[in-house]
Amino acid sequence: MEKRLLWMVVVLTLVWGTNWTLFPLAVRETSVWTFRAVSLVGSGALLLFVARLKGLSLHVPRRQRRGLVLAALTYLVVWNVGSTFAAVLIPSGQAAVLGFTMPLWATLISWLFLGEKPSARLWCSVLLASCGVALLAYAARDAYASAPLGFALGLLAGIGWAGGTLILKRAGLTVPPIVSTGWQLLIAAVPISIAALLLGTREPFLPSPTTLLVVAYITIVPMALGNITWFSLVDRLPAAVSGLSTVMVPMVAMATGAAFRGEPLGPLELASMACCGGALLLVVLKPARGAGAA
């Protein structure tokens, strides 16, 4: 992996990894639907505004719009709702690991439905990441048993992310990543905003400064900056590889959850980190001469 892409992975890992512990703070005074509607609209509008300041056209060719809409609905809607509810119902670091099973689902979908045979190197990386998730699932079995919906929503978030990424890879987008990302965020905001009006906080009120600050940070940094970094990686790497490149995100989430929220971080969690770290190294380190690339 070239140095620029590696730095993008580092930025994404830190931005998304430290984000999970903030979810419960963001929804203390607002519903999940309202929080996500505000963050999606705000981040999407911000990216398109910056794109216009840079002199970029916001036009998306007609033939590419269907793929853009399907990718946004499959990834961003499912991910934003599933991951947030999961982080509220179960420890945030564990919810992150479930969501970041995305590379496993992307590899399986590509193999079973798209006829793309993964390399041995990629299979080994996915296997290591799966072992890490399995270790964490065993360590958190009591939490999952008491909140099975959180477990299910965490996995659903990962499946939606994988499906949306594969759709986007085949959409043949020619617009700059900042433009496509901005439009996807706004497209995803439509159904979530409707749900917020029907299910969320409908009475007008002013949240506390802490809640406003947390929501503003999530909107600008993890949502806007994080998503444009992610879609730039997707544009340059195969779906499964780009997913595996972010496998350390839930490890950062577990560490910050343990540091700031007292979430568990014992031998099984550390072993899970080691497995996921090994999976990442298989992706980012160049194979020896004569070996097949991932």
Side-chain angles (χ1 to χ4, degrees), residues 63-274:
R63 67 180 182 278
Q64 299 176 19
R65 294 174 189 173
R66 182 173 178 270
L68 191 74
V69 172
L70 286 176
L73 295 178
T74 305
Y75 162 38
L76 287 170
V77 173
V78 175
W79 171 265
N80 279 282
V81 175
S83 63
T84 307
F85 272 115
V88 172
L89 293 170
I90 59 178
S92 59
Q94 295 164 6
V97 171
L98 291 174
F100 278 79
T101 55
M102 175 271 191
L104 173 61
W105 306 118
T107 302
L108 292 177
I109 293 171
S110 298
W111 178 41
L112 295 174
F113 299 104
L114 303 177
E116 297 180 2
K117 186 178 179 181
S119 66
R121 185 183 182 87
L122 184 57
W123 271 125
C124 288
S125 186
V126 169
L127 180 61
L128 269 175
S130 301
C131 288
V133 173
L135 284 169
L136 191 70
Y138 179 76
R141 59 193 181 280
D142 293 335
Y144 295 153
S146 61
L149 182 60
F151 179 82
L153 288 173
L155 287 178
L156 180 63
I159 294 171
W161 183 8
T165 300
L166 291 170
I167 291 171
L168 191 65
K169 290 291 292 183
R170 282 155 183 77
L173 298 183
T174 57
V175 297
I178 189 173
V179 175
S180 64
T181 303
W183 279 122
Q184 286 183 83
L185 290 165
L186 290 181
I187 290 167
V190 173
I192 292 182
S193 296
I194 293 173
L197 290 174
L198 297 174
L199 305 172
T201 307
R202 284 179 284 182
E203 299 78 12
F205 76 102
L206 183 63
S208 67
T210 300
T211 299
L212 291 174
L213 183 62
V214 168
V215 172
Y217 171 80
I218 291 175
T219 299
I220 297 170
V221 182
M223 293 292 292
L225 176 62
N227 273 296
I228 191 175
T229 303
W230 163 251
F231 286 119
S232 297
L233 283 171
V234 170
D235 194 47
R236 293 168 171 81
L237 298 170
V241 174
S242 56
L244 280 166
S245 69
T246 61
V247 77
M248 287 305 292
V249 170
M251 307 302 104
V252 174
M254 281 200 295
T256 54
F260 297 105
R261 298 186 61 203
E263 295 179 356
L265 186 62
L268 289 175
E269 287 83 5
L270 293 173
S272 174
M273 286 187 180

